[in-house]
Amino acid sequence: MRTILVIEDQPVMRHKTVTILKMEGYDVLEAPNGAEGIRLAHDEVPDLILCDIMMPERDGYQVLQAVRLNRATATTPFIFFTAKGEKPDLRAGMNLGADDYLVKPTPRAELLEAIEARFERERLNEERLKQELAKVSFRPDFSSAAPLVQRLALTDREGETLLWVAQGKSNADIAAILGNSEKTVKKTLGHIFEKLGVESRTAAALQAIEILAVPAARLSTPAA
Amino acid sequence: MNRPVTFKNSHARLACVVMMVVAFALEHATPRARGQDITPAVLLTNIHQVVSVSSNALRSARPTARVHGVIIYISNVARRFYIQDGTNSVQVNLQRPVTDYHVGQSVEVTGQVGPMLPQPNLVNASATVFGEAPLPEAPFVSAQRLADGEAPFRFVTTRGIVRDMVSSPGVLTLLLTYEEVAFEVATLADSPVLPREWLDAEIEIQGNSFAFFNSRGRPTGFRFHTHTTNLIHVTKPGPGTLFDRPTLSIAEVSRQPQQWNERVKITGTVTAHHPFHIVFVDDGTGPLEVILISPMAKPASGRTLEHDPRVWLQPGERVEVIGVRHNWSALVPTLIHAEIRRIGTGPPVAPRRVTIDELVAGKHPGEVVSVEARLLDHRSWVEGILHHQILMLQAGDHLFQATWENETPMDWDLTPNSYVRVTGVNDAVQGRFKGARTFDLLLRNPSDIVPAPEPPFWTRPQIWKPSLAAAGVGVVAVGLILFQRWQLRRLEDRVTSRTAELRAANEHLQDQVATRERAEIEVQRALAQEKELGELKSRFVSMVSHEFRTPLGIISSSAEILDAYLERLSVDERKSNLRDITDATRHMARMMEEVLLLGRVEAGKLACRPTALDLTIFGQRLIDEVASATNRRCSIQFTATSGLPEAQADEGLLRHIFTNLLNNASKYSPAGNIVEFHIEARDRLALFTVRDRGIGIPEADARLLFQAFHRGRNVGDTPGTGLGMMIVKRCVELHGGKIAFESREGHGTTFIVALPLFGPITAGNGDGTTQLFRAATSGKNLTLIS
């Protein structure tokens, strides 16, 4: 279930956008201003953020910067809403790391397309990297998370979570396996990223595999 | 489980190497803060972002980027390739050699953004291959635009006509022209055979353009690269030969229309060769100017087409020329993009004797002419490998020059002031202005300057002009002296009368100047006012269109939701969306009415037309209307002092004013509260009071109350356009009145309007009304607005 965060100060329009997204099967979080939006992004780690630019107090750019500075959300897809007269500032937004922008009022079809395109790209990236990983001809030992806990100074829960990430499991799967909520899994991942100094699950996975990797010679001998 | 690890197996060794490489790559792909390392806070995720980084930003920090793209070109001289994503492409400089990659691979590249012309590149990069991907679409970009530096590194299509070609091992280079631009195309080729069938054919190539830039960042030309001959298509075949084509006469060629593509052939005799690539030729039917194409650089080993080695051509040599009929600004028919071949020698073209007047009139352009003139001066200097010599000559009243430019200097006998016969090619050029032509005689050999016999001395302008002048002067001098004596007497009489006239005229002039200065100041002031008004108007227009956008967005969004999800919505949800549509429509309608009203006020179309009005009846009627319009939300109490005199008022304006005030009083009060409306008379003024006990106006909003679209910060969900108070203020002003208010947030608001209805009405009653107003409301803490 994908989670989308909508940050928009005009209450009626926010309600409409939220309605459309809920009808399309997304989990939706909403925030009526920038400060609230930053807090929700940090606590809930959504899968995608839609944000208005012109808001009182914290504006869209400030939200974007705050979100990008947090490791857990540094690569979260971020889409701006803008009214027509703000074009010159879009460069600033794109340079700061926004992925796309939509012009208000946005037709429903465009909104959904833009969101789908972001998710699709993420999925494709994951697929490709997984394929690359599969090509490498050595087999890591996924039987225990102990090496990860030891070598990376992780807690037991973090080690377990990372072990499943390294095997290519999605957050939803890991939540099911460990008996936690998806939200907990995402927060744990955030901590893992901090400790490992990375920003994406695949970078973390690679570090884990490096530690867990076993020379192929060992595979032919029975586990002692 | 405790066995030591053995590395005899080569698989194991490979695994360790791969892991080390992966760890190494990760180490450098995600830099951590380590002492002096720059930790970029920004991660760019697509090529568009990378090439949009400004060079200013790159001075202070180098952001990292992780981007995807298709490899469109691999450089064979450096660890470098180019990738493209959509319509953006970027140069990637790798740490590892490029032999592992090929064009058409889809890669993910991680690296640092570096400054480069014409756009940033990626350095210290590493690339991971994902698989194969189709090359992006290659849109057509003309050679002129590529020469201007457009579409840098992008995979594009361009077109041109093949004029020359060379091949070296593995590389085929073509020289193309497209309109006036000439450029080289390099492609990887397996076969060393030159594709002669492409000569003078139009081809279309897909590949990349590499523009050259000078130190100031201006584009100075480009070179086109494509990595295989499969991307070259012939769109119009050519004759495939250089000189094997029918010969035309120069007269026939001159009659042809100008174009950029087809080369025609002529033969003729050289009359001059101007460094380095301009040759004049004549075949007896007329002169021709030939602009030779720049030859391609011959490779160290490889094949070329057979060309004549470029030497200085002498007058009298017979040549064959192929070129495209296109004049520049020349008055002589011209062939450009030309190739030339010597076929022998013949008698040189005889010069035509002309007069200086014919040359100045622009006759005989491009022909070999000879004219007599006096040599006044000469200059010579060396520039690079060229010797320049310029001779300044005079014939009749005209000055002109003859030029020698060549690798060897010419040794003429040049005595200043000697009389000579000059022979040369008349290089006549059209200037910028119609009818402005200049000419220069191009010298070819020593016999082009020969001494000529001096003309009789009295024909020299230096002699006969002064003599004639002297004789004339003498005759005139005597006559003048006699005439002057007579004149002097008459002048004295005139002077006295004129002085008087002048004095009067001077005074008149001074008055005029003063008036004009005053008028100018007025004009300046009016212009400044107009400008300010114009700015206000355009701000208003943009504010209005912004305000309309919100209800339009609500309507379209609600309609889309109803359309897409009707069956899944509950009845209440459907009703709620429909209600949003009607509310937003109503909001827009009201805004439109108010904006139109304001427009009419601004355009001066709303005037104050007072008629006799009974204020008591008016007030009674008004509160009934407002009460029903507001669904009796608040009860409105109307009181008027007894014995109100008949008023002279514009009922329409009064309606606008008090409908708005009473509506607001009702809207912004809790339901059931009382609103008071009171009318009384003081001297010439009618005082209207509207009092409510509602949410009040916060102090911070008080100043801005009458501005367009401004609403108090405490209005919450109460609907309103923000234009009502602006309308009220305008209408009060139109009626020559004043308005003030007193308010406390949370307690209520009182508006007092004073209109001069009981006396002579003039719009400019300003001060008088203000005084009366203050007197009438003394003792209260009010904010006076107008």
Side-chain angles (χ1 to χ4, degrees), chain B residues 658-693:
Chain B
F658 296 108
T659 314
N660 264 298
L661 288 176
L662 288 168
N663 261 325
N664 282 357
S666 170
K667 208 166 54 169
Y668 294 120
S669 296
N673 262 9
I674 293 181
V675 170
E676 292 166 30
F677 183 39
H678 177 70
I679 308 182
E680 66 183 83
R682 289 275 183 97
D683 299 324
R684 283 197 331 246
L685 294 181
L687 286 179
F688 303 79
T689 312
V690 177
R691 181 177 292 125
D692 70 68
R693 284 173 190 69

Short mmCIF file of all heavy atoms in Angstrom, two decimals, chain B residues 658-693:
data_model
loop_
_atom_site.label_atom_id
_atom_site.label_comp_id
_atom_site.label_asym_id
_atom_site.label_seq_id
_atom_site.Cartn_x
_atom_site.Cartn_y
_atom_site.Cartn_z
N PHE B 658 -24.98 50.71 1.33
CA PHE B 658 -25.55 50.17 2.56
C PHE B 658 -25.95 48.71 2.44
O PHE B 658 -26.01 48.01 3.46
CB PHE B 658 -26.71 51.06 3.03
CG PHE B 658 -26.21 52.43 3.38
CD1 PHE B 658 -26.48 53.51 2.56
CD2 PHE B 658 -25.41 52.61 4.49
CE1 PHE B 658 -25.97 54.76 2.87
CE2 PHE B 658 -24.89 53.84 4.80
CZ PHE B 658 -25.17 54.93 3.99
N THR B 659 -26.22 48.22 1.23
CA THR B 659 -26.43 46.77 1.10
C THR B 659 -25.16 46.04 1.54
O THR B 659 -25.22 45.06 2.29
CB THR B 659 -26.73 46.39 -0.36
OG1 THR B 659 -27.68 47.30 -0.88
CG2 THR B 659 -27.23 44.97 -0.47
N ASN B 660 -24.00 46.53 1.07
CA ASN B 660 -22.74 45.91 1.46
C ASN B 660 -22.52 45.96 2.96
O ASN B 660 -22.20 44.96 3.61
CB ASN B 660 -21.56 46.60 0.76
CG ASN B 660 -21.14 45.87 -0.49
OD1 ASN B 660 -20.72 44.72 -0.43
ND2 ASN B 660 -21.28 46.53 -1.62
N LEU B 661 -22.69 47.17 3.57
CA LEU B 661 -22.42 47.32 5.00
C LEU B 661 -23.36 46.45 5.81
O LEU B 661 -22.97 45.79 6.78
CB LEU B 661 -22.53 48.79 5.41
CG LEU B 661 -21.39 49.70 4.90
CD1 LEU B 661 -21.66 51.14 5.28
CD2 LEU B 661 -20.06 49.26 5.47
N LEU B 662 -24.66 46.46 5.46
CA LEU B 662 -25.62 45.68 6.23
C LEU B 662 -25.40 44.19 6.04
O LEU B 662 -25.49 43.41 6.99
CB LEU B 662 -27.05 46.07 5.82
CG LEU B 662 -27.48 47.46 6.30
CD1 LEU B 662 -28.77 47.90 5.62
CD2 LEU B 662 -27.68 47.44 7.82
N ASN B 663 -25.08 43.76 4.81
CA ASN B 663 -24.77 42.35 4.58
C ASN B 663 -23.60 41.89 5.43
O ASN B 663 -23.64 40.84 6.08
CB ASN B 663 -24.41 42.12 3.11
CG ASN B 663 -25.57 41.59 2.31
OD1 ASN B 663 -26.39 40.82 2.82
ND2 ASN B 663 -25.67 42.03 1.07
N ASN B 664 -22.57 42.69 5.43
CA ASN B 664 -21.39 42.34 6.23
C ASN B 664 -21.75 42.25 7.70
O ASN B 664 -21.36 41.31 8.41
CB ASN B 664 -20.28 43.39 6.05
CG ASN B 664 -19.53 43.20 4.75
OD1 ASN B 664 -19.82 42.26 4.01
ND2 ASN B 664 -18.60 44.09 4.46
N ALA B 665 -22.51 43.28 8.19
CA ALA B 665 -22.86 43.29 9.61
C ALA B 665 -23.57 41.99 9.97
O ALA B 665 -23.30 41.38 11.02
CB ALA B 665 -23.75 44.49 9.91
N SER B 666 -24.46 41.56 9.10
CA SER B 666 -25.21 40.34 9.37
C SER B 666 -24.31 39.11 9.26
O SER B 666 -24.33 38.23 10.12
CB SER B 666 -26.37 40.26 8.37
OG SER B 666 -26.98 39.01 8.45
N LYS B 667 -23.50 39.07 8.20
CA LYS B 667 -22.67 37.89 7.93
C LYS B 667 -21.66 37.62 9.02
O LYS B 667 -21.40 36.49 9.40
CB LYS B 667 -21.93 38.15 6.61
CG LYS B 667 -21.58 36.93 5.82
CD LYS B 667 -21.18 37.26 4.42
CE LYS B 667 -20.07 38.26 4.30
NZ LYS B 667 -19.56 38.34 2.94
N TYR B 668 -21.05 38.70 9.50
CA TYR B 668 -19.96 38.52 10.44
C TYR B 668 -20.42 38.56 11.88
O TYR B 668 -19.62 38.73 12.80
CB TYR B 668 -18.87 39.57 10.19
CG TYR B 668 -18.19 39.42 8.85
CD1 TYR B 668 -18.23 40.43 7.90
CD2 TYR B 668 -17.53 38.23 8.53
CE1 TYR B 668 -17.62 40.28 6.69
CE2 TYR B 668 -16.92 38.07 7.30
CZ TYR B 668 -16.96 39.09 6.37
OH TYR B 668 -16.36 38.94 5.17
N SER B 669 -21.73 38.46 12.12
CA SER B 669 -22.22 38.37 13.50
C SER B 669 -22.77 36.97 13.72
O SER B 669 -23.24 36.34 12.77
CB SER B 669 -23.34 39.38 13.74
OG SER B 669 -22.88 40.69 13.62
N PRO B 670 -22.76 36.51 14.97
CA PRO B 670 -23.39 35.22 15.25
C PRO B 670 -24.88 35.33 14.93
O PRO B 670 -25.49 36.40 15.10
CB PRO B 670 -23.18 35.01 16.75
CG PRO B 670 -22.14 36.00 17.15
CD PRO B 670 -22.18 37.12 16.17
N ALA B 671 -25.46 34.21 14.44
CA ALA B 671 -26.87 34.23 14.06
C ALA B 671 -27.72 34.64 15.24
O ALA B 671 -27.48 34.25 16.38
CB ALA B 671 -27.29 32.85 13.56
N GLY B 672 -28.75 35.49 14.96
CA GLY B 672 -29.66 35.89 16.03
C GLY B 672 -29.30 37.23 16.65
O GLY B 672 -30.11 37.83 17.37
N ASN B 673 -28.06 37.71 16.36
CA ASN B 673 -27.67 39.00 16.93
C ASN B 673 -28.44 40.13 16.28
O ASN B 673 -29.12 39.96 15.27
CB ASN B 673 -26.17 39.22 16.71
CG ASN B 673 -25.39 38.83 17.95
OD1 ASN B 673 -25.95 38.26 18.89
ND2 ASN B 673 -24.11 39.16 17.96
N ILE B 674 -28.31 41.34 16.89
CA ILE B 674 -29.04 42.49 16.38
C ILE B 674 -28.09 43.38 15.60
O ILE B 674 -26.94 43.60 16.00
CB ILE B 674 -29.64 43.31 17.54
CG1 ILE B 674 -30.70 42.46 18.22
CG2 ILE B 674 -30.23 44.62 17.02
CD1 ILE B 674 -31.37 43.16 19.36
N VAL B 675 -28.56 43.90 14.48
CA VAL B 675 -27.81 44.88 13.69
C VAL B 675 -28.62 46.16 13.70
O VAL B 675 -29.82 46.15 13.49
CB VAL B 675 -27.61 44.38 12.24
CG1 VAL B 675 -27.06 45.49 11.37
CG2 VAL B 675 -26.69 43.18 12.22
N GLU B 676 -27.96 47.30 13.97
CA GLU B 676 -28.68 48.57 14.04
C GLU B 676 -28.35 49.43 12.83
O GLU B 676 -27.18 49.57 12.45
CB GLU B 676 -28.27 49.33 15.30
CG GLU B 676 -28.74 48.65 16.57
CD GLU B 676 -28.02 49.26 17.78
OE1 GLU B 676 -27.67 50.45 17.73
OE2 GLU B 676 -27.79 48.52 18.74
N PHE B 677 -29.38 50.04 12.25
CA PHE B 677 -29.20 50.95 11.11
C PHE B 677 -29.91 52.24 11.46
O PHE B 677 -31.12 52.26 11.67
CB PHE B 677 -29.77 50.31 9.85
CG PHE B 677 -29.57 51.13 8.60
CD1 PHE B 677 -28.39 51.84 8.38
CD2 PHE B 677 -30.56 51.17 7.63
CE1 PHE B 677 -28.21 52.58 7.25
CE2 PHE B 677 -30.37 51.92 6.47
CZ PHE B 677 -29.21 52.63 6.28
N HIS B 678 -29.16 53.36 11.55
CA HIS B 678 -29.74 54.60 12.03
C HIS B 678 -29.41 55.73 11.08
O HIS B 678 -28.28 55.85 10.60
CB HIS B 678 -29.17 54.91 13.42
CG HIS B 678 -29.65 56.21 13.98
ND1 HIS B 678 -30.96 56.40 14.38
CD2 HIS B 678 -29.00 57.38 14.20
CE1 HIS B 678 -31.09 57.62 14.82
NE2 HIS B 678 -29.92 58.25 14.73
N ILE B 679 -30.40 56.59 10.79
CA ILE B 679 -30.16 57.75 9.92
C ILE B 679 -30.55 59.00 10.69
O ILE B 679 -31.62 59.06 11.31
CB ILE B 679 -31.00 57.68 8.64
CG1 ILE B 679 -30.81 56.33 7.93
CG2 ILE B 679 -30.61 58.82 7.70
CD1 ILE B 679 -31.59 56.22 6.64
N GLU B 680 -29.66 60.04 10.63
CA GLU B 680 -30.03 61.33 11.22
C GLU B 680 -29.42 62.44 10.38
O GLU B 680 -28.60 62.19 9.49
CB GLU B 680 -29.53 61.42 12.67
CG GLU B 680 -28.01 61.45 12.75
CD GLU B 680 -27.53 61.47 14.19
OE1 GLU B 680 -27.47 60.37 14.78
OE2 GLU B 680 -27.23 62.55 14.69
N ALA B 681 -29.87 63.67 10.65
CA ALA B 681 -29.39 64.81 9.87
C ALA B 681 -28.61 65.74 10.77
O ALA B 681 -28.98 65.98 11.91
CB ALA B 681 -30.56 65.53 9.23
N ARG B 682 -27.46 66.28 10.28
CA ARG B 682 -26.70 67.30 11.02
C ARG B 682 -26.28 68.35 10.02
O ARG B 682 -25.46 68.11 9.14
CB ARG B 682 -25.41 66.70 11.60
CG ARG B 682 -25.55 65.76 12.72
CD ARG B 682 -25.65 66.47 14.09
NE ARG B 682 -25.72 65.44 15.12
CZ ARG B 682 -24.63 65.03 15.80
NH1 ARG B 682 -23.48 65.59 15.61
NH2 ARG B 682 -24.75 64.04 16.67
N ASP B 683 -26.82 69.55 10.17
CA ASP B 683 -26.55 70.61 9.19
C ASP B 683 -26.88 70.09 7.79
O ASP B 683 -27.95 69.61 7.53
CB ASP B 683 -25.09 71.08 9.25
CG ASP B 683 -24.74 71.65 10.59
OD1 ASP B 683 -25.62 72.31 11.18
OD2 ASP B 683 -23.60 71.42 11.04
N ARG B 684 -25.87 70.15 6.91
CA ARG B 684 -26.13 69.71 5.53
C ARG B 684 -25.90 68.21 5.34
O ARG B 684 -26.15 67.68 4.27
CB ARG B 684 -25.19 70.45 4.57
CG ARG B 684 -25.62 71.86 4.28
CD ARG B 684 -24.92 72.38 3.05
NE ARG B 684 -23.63 71.74 2.88
CZ ARG B 684 -22.46 72.34 2.96
NH1 ARG B 684 -22.41 73.61 3.22
NH2 ARG B 684 -21.33 71.67 2.82
N LEU B 685 -25.40 67.56 6.40
CA LEU B 685 -25.00 66.17 6.23
C LEU B 685 -26.08 65.21 6.69
O LEU B 685 -26.81 65.48 7.65
CB LEU B 685 -23.75 65.85 7.05
CG LEU B 685 -22.46 66.54 6.66
CD1 LEU B 685 -21.34 66.06 7.58
CD2 LEU B 685 -22.10 66.19 5.22
N ALA B 686 -26.15 64.08 5.97
CA ALA B 686 -26.95 62.96 6.47
C ALA B 686 -25.97 61.96 7.06
O ALA B 686 -25.01 61.58 6.39
CB ALA B 686 -27.72 62.32 5.31
N LEU B 687 -26.19 61.57 8.32
CA LEU B 687 -25.29 60.61 8.97
C LEU B 687 -25.98 59.26 9.05
O LEU B 687 -27.07 59.13 9.59
CB LEU B 687 -24.94 61.09 10.39
CG LEU B 687 -23.97 62.25 10.50
CD1 LEU B 687 -23.75 62.61 11.96
CD2 LEU B 687 -22.64 61.91 9.87
N PHE B 688 -25.32 58.22 8.50
CA PHE B 688 -25.84 56.86 8.53
C PHE B 688 -24.94 56.03 9.45
O PHE B 688 -23.72 56.09 9.32
CB PHE B 688 -25.80 56.22 7.14
CG PHE B 688 -26.56 56.99 6.09
CD1 PHE B 688 -26.01 58.12 5.50
CD2 PHE B 688 -27.82 56.56 5.69
CE1 PHE B 688 -26.71 58.82 4.53
CE2 PHE B 688 -28.52 57.26 4.72
CZ PHE B 688 -27.97 58.38 4.13
N THR B 689 -25.53 55.28 10.37
CA THR B 689 -24.73 54.44 11.26
C THR B 689 -25.16 52.99 11.11
O THR B 689 -26.35 52.68 11.15
CB THR B 689 -24.95 54.85 12.74
OG1 THR B 689 -24.82 56.26 12.82
CG2 THR B 689 -23.93 54.17 13.63
N VAL B 690 -24.18 52.10 10.90
CA VAL B 690 -24.45 50.65 10.86
C VAL B 690 -23.63 50.02 11.98
O VAL B 690 -22.40 50.09 11.97
CB VAL B 690 -24.04 50.04 9.51
CG1 VAL B 690 -24.25 48.53 9.52
CG2 VAL B 690 -24.78 50.68 8.37
N ARG B 691 -24.34 49.41 12.95
CA ARG B 691 -23.62 48.85 14.10
C ARG B 691 -23.96 47.38 14.26
O ARG B 691 -25.12 46.99 14.15
CB ARG B 691 -24.04 49.60 15.37
CG ARG B 691 -23.30 49.06 16.63
CD ARG B 691 -23.65 49.83 17.88
NE ARG B 691 -23.14 51.18 17.83
CZ ARG B 691 -23.90 52.27 17.99
NH1 ARG B 691 -25.17 52.16 18.23
NH2 ARG B 691 -23.35 53.47 17.92
N ASP B 692 -22.89 46.55 14.51
CA ASP B 692 -23.14 45.13 14.78
C ASP B 692 -22.33 44.71 16.00
O ASP B 692 -21.40 45.42 16.43
CB ASP B 692 -22.77 44.25 13.56
CG ASP B 692 -21.26 44.18 13.32
OD1 ASP B 692 -20.53 43.59 14.15
OD2 ASP B 692 -20.79 44.74 12.30
N ARG B 693 -22.69 43.51 16.54
CA ARG B 693 -21.93 42.97 17.66
C ARG B 693 -21.30 41.66 17.25
O ARG B 693 -21.46 40.64 17.89
CB ARG B 693 -22.85 42.76 18.87
CG ARG B 693 -23.18 44.08 19.55
CD ARG B 693 -24.21 43.94 20.64
NE ARG B 693 -24.66 45.25 21.09
CZ ARG B 693 -25.39 46.09 20.37
NH1 ARG B 693 -25.79 45.71 19.16
NH2 ARG B 693 -25.74 47.27 20.82
#
